[in-house]
């Protein structure tokens, strides 16, 4: 903030005497600080969303959503950030089942652009994986004593 203010004062004060420079300083300072506050709110939101994406509490979702967020958050508009935030409000078990195709997502979630992007990415990774290691039926994977028949 101080460096921005100094640059702004120097730019505004070129050719000005000391008295004129001092009178211009408060308005230049206000403009510099308000521009920085606006940027920092946007930056705070992106950092908060990145943290929520990487710290979900489920390793699989931490990796999937955290990686997607670190690659894409900077390019998102405010509306897209709001939509992504809404997706982060969903419960972990539901998100995992929707992303992996174990359950169909509700229509309200399917409309979310971030859900569609992450779903497509998860599905393409699953298709690229070893087909024998995936549950082909789409049913929940349950590991138990009767797994092998």
């Amino acid at each position: 903030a101080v460096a921005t203010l100094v640059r702004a004062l120097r730019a505004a004060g070129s050719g000005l005497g000391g008295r004129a420079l001092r009178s211009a300083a408060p308005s230049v300072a206000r403009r510099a600080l308000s521009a920085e506050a606006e940027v920092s709110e946007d930056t705070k939101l992106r950092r908060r969303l990145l943290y929520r994406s990487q710290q979900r509490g489920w390793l699989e979702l931490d990796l999937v959503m955290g990686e997607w967020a670190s690659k894409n958050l900077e390019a998102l508009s405010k509306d897209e950030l709001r939509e992504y935030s809404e997706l982060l409000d969903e419960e972990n078990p539901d998100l995992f089942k929707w992303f992996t195709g174990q359950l169909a997502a509700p229509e309200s979630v399917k409309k979310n652009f971030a859900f569609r992007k992450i779903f497509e990415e998860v599905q393409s990774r699953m298709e690229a994986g070893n087909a024998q290691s995936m549950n082909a039926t789409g049913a929940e994977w349950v590991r138990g004593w009767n797994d092998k028949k």
Side-chain angles (χ1 to χ4, degrees), residues 14-54:
S14 57
L16 295 176
R19 174 179 252 171
L21 179 58
R22 282 191 297 274
S23 67
S27 66
V28 172
R30 278 193 301 275
R31 281 182 284 167
L33 291 175
S34 72
E36 187 168 302
E38 190 175 307
V39 170
S40 67
E41 283 302 314
D42 192 43
T43 301
K44 285 179 190 176
L45 175 61
R46 290 175 199 281
R47 287 179 182 167
R48 194 167 44 249
L49 292 175
L50 180 61
Y51 180 82
R52 288 179 62 201
S53 301
Q54 293 174 332

Side-chain angles (χ1 to χ4, degrees), residues 6-107:
V6 170
R7 282 195 302 275
L9 287 173
R10 284 185 182 150
S14 57
L16 295 176
R19 174 179 252 171
L21 179 58
R22 282 191 297 274
S23 67
S27 66
V28 172
R30 278 193 301 275
R31 281 182 284 167
L33 291 175
S34 72
E36 187 168 302
E38 190 175 307
V39 170
S40 67
E41 283 302 314
D42 192 43
T43 301
K44 285 179 190 176
L45 175 61
R46 290 175 199 281
R47 287 179 182 167
R48 194 167 44 249
L49 292 175
L50 180 61
Y51 180 82
R52 288 179 62 201
S53 301
Q54 293 174 332
Q55 303 293 325
R56 303 239 2 129
W58 279 36
L59 177 60
E60 296 83 352
L61 289 175
D62 293 348
L63 295 172
V64 169
M65 298 187 83
E67 183 180 315
W68 187 88
S70 63
K71 284 192 238 174
N72 296 289
L73 281 181
E74 287 303 316
L76 300 182
S77 69
K78 287 189 182 209
D79 288 339
E80 290 171 329
L81 290 172
R82 181 189 47 76
E83 261 190 81
Y84 183 63
S85 178
E86 290 171 4
L87 181 64
L88 290 174
D89 291 339
E90 298 292 339
E91 295 293 328
N92 286 339
D94 296 333
L95 282 172
F96 184 77
K97 290 175 184 178
W98 296 335
F99 286 147
T100 58
Q102 294 176 14
L103 288 177
E107 288 303 316

Side-chain angles (χ1 to χ4, degrees), residues 93-105 110 115 118-120 122-123 126 135-141:
D94 296 333
L95 282 172
F96 184 77
K97 290 175 184 178
W98 296 335
F99 286 147
T100 58
Q102 294 176 14
L103 288 177
K110 286 181 182 178
F115 172 78
I118 297 171
F119 177 79
E120 290 168 7
V122 169
Q123 292 301 309
M126 288 175 62
N135 186 359
T137 65
E140 280 189 66
W141 186 267

